[in-house]
Each structure stands twice: as structure tokens, then as C-alpha cells.
Amino acid sequence: MYGDAPRLKDFIQLSPDPLPDQEAFLRQWSTFLRRQNNLLADTWLCEAVRMVEGTAGLERLVRSKGHQRPHIYLDWFTALEEEGQYAQVLAEARLALQSLPDDLSIRAVIADYLCAVASVLGDRESLLEGRWQAFVAMPELSRLLDLWEAVPSMEQRPHWMQRTIQNMQQPRSRKATLPPGDPPIPTLVYLRQLSPLFNELLAHARLLAGDLAAAYQAVARKPVLEEGNAVNAQTLVFAWLLVLLSGRERKDLPPNLEHFWRRTLQEIIVDDWMYDQHIQHELTQRTDHIYADYLAWGRASGFLHLEAADAEAYLAWCLDTARKRIEATVSNQHHGIYDEAANLTVACAELLSLRGDDRAADELVAHIRERFHRYRAFQRELRSALARK
């Protein structure tokens, strides 16, 4: 928020000569800033203290005010990192996490420092600890994937995803608890916020935990479109079921099914305002790669095996949901997502063919083509999707 704010050292460096009474000014400036109560004041305070008292001064500031002004931990850790004191950063970040209230989102940034130095030190146990703390403080997709990748074995990863589910389902406090007599924390940005795509994040966790039944039950009765939005938690579960029912590895999916899966991941991530376009692309690639590895391991180990009766039940729901989605899209003339409806039509046909039912595949396409024969824009999209088959 204040990363681009002007710093005092920038002004000082403009002068070719030392400023008169600089140290006296810095001490008075520090005294003034200690009476303020906002993040920008914290940033300037840490700068002034470090210029006068060095890293030791930042440590004294942390010891006296860190619990009430936790932003100053970050400046102290940065100073320690610059001095190569990685072990101390690790120890102090752990102490900070132990002492700060659980409902502060800044814990995630402190945990990021812990993870950074744990990586430098090759401390995988501390890295996993940090990834967990970061997710708990700020539950969102990139941190869920960080945690997944920090777990040393694929066999253990679903267990950790189950832990994230349990944590996300716990009631959230909206107010940090501070020692008696302390002034309030400067700004609500310190308080933990739920992801704007909480349901989608929970669906990811359930799928990666192997809890397909819970993921399905959470979305099965939801509307197929929400205000014209074709991508939501239901779409993610639906797309994963199509992939799972195909019996194929991720790299071997037929083109329309591959496109539907990839597009689902991408559009859920794009809907999250937390990520810019470059990060959205990288996160889509990363999520897809994780699911591909998970699918390959799950098939080989039997972890993702579906009993025949379950597979048939899921297939029936998927085909019914697909028809409803296509109907809602085309009948209500959501022109902007006609291509998605066409893609889904042919993806389902590809799935039926992979399962050995070419007749049902042809009948599905023929039914959709006839049902919407007057919608010329949709028919063009359907022809395009069939050309990819």
C-alpha cells in the first residue's frame, strides 16, 4: 500500500552535502511518528530509527511496539536479511507468529519472510510451517498451491489439503485481540480477509484432498449459471469430474475437454481481483500442472479410483448439468459465452466417446444442434468446436 511512498533518505540524497542537525531532526521525527497511528507513519518510523540506531534500534522498536504495530517486523526482517542474518530472521519470524493475534493478515507476510530464509537455509520443515501459517492468515489460491508444493511427498499432500478445509470452515473473528491498554491496530488491512472466491478455493482444496463427495455435494444443487457467470465452484467440480471420468491423463485429453478444463481454471483465476494479468497466467499454468501431477499419481496409486456405480452417478449429473448450462446460456442469449456452451457440448461428446458410447455422443450433439437450430451465432460456435474434435 505504501511501498512507493517517498522515503526520507531519498530527500537526503538529493543534497550533495550532509544536512545540518540531521541526527537531531531524525530523533524529533521519530518522536513525532511514534504518536501517529497509520501504516505510512510506521514505514517512516522504521526508516528513521534505522538511520539513527541501526538494526539494533529496529530490534528495540520491535520489542516494545511490534505487537501493536506489526508492520515494523517487516522492516526489521529486511534489515536482518540484508546483513545475512537468516537464522535470526527464522527465529524471530517464528516468535512473531507465536505472539501476534491469529486474525491478522499481516501474519501471512511475516510467514513469507520465514519461508524465504528457510529456503536459503534448506530448512524444509520450517518452510512447510511457514507455508501453513501463510495460508491460514491469508487463504487464497497461490498460498494453497505454495502449501501443496512444500509438502515433501504426494501421499501427504491430500492430508494437508484436508487441514486447509478444516481451517477455512472455522468461524472467523473480525477483531484482533490486543493486550489491555493498547491503542487499536492502525488499519483494517491488518485483519484477515476471506478470499473473494472463497467457495472456489474451498472446492480446490476438497478436490486436491480427494474428498470428491464433499466437493460434489456442495455444488450439485446450485444454479448452473449465476447472473450469466458460467464459471464458479460448481464449474470447477464439474470440469474435474469430466477429466476424471475420461480415464485419460491431462496431456492426453481430447481438444474440447482439454479446452474446457483449462478455460475453467483460467477464468476462475481471472475473476480474482487479487492477481494482475501476468500472475493470472502463471497461476493458471501452475494450477494446471499441479492437477496434472495429482491426476497421474491418483490414477497410478488408486487414490482417485471411482467405483462403477459412483462413476455412473457422476456421469449422469455431469450430462444433466451440461444440458442445463447449455440451455441457460443459449436460450437466455448470453452471446458472450456461446463459445463456452459449444465447447461444453463437444467436450461431453468426447467424454462419451472415450467411455465407449459413440452413439450417445452423436445423439448429444444432434440434440443440441436441433434444439438451437435457429441460433445462428451458436451454430457457428458449435461448428468450430466440432472442427477441433
Side-chain angles (χ1 to χ4, degrees), residues 14 26 30 32 46 53 130 134 144 147 252 259 286 293 306 317 357 361 381:
L14 291 174
L26 288 173
S30 299
F32 169 78
C46 289
E53 305 175 46
L144 183 77
L147 177 62
D252 298 324
H259 182 73
R286 186 179 171 202
D293 287 347
L306 290 176
W317 177 77
D357 199 341
E381 296 294 349

Side-chain angles (χ1 to χ4, degrees), residues 38 127 177 380-381:
N38 59 71
L127 176 63
T177 303
R380 284 195 299 270
E381 296 294 349

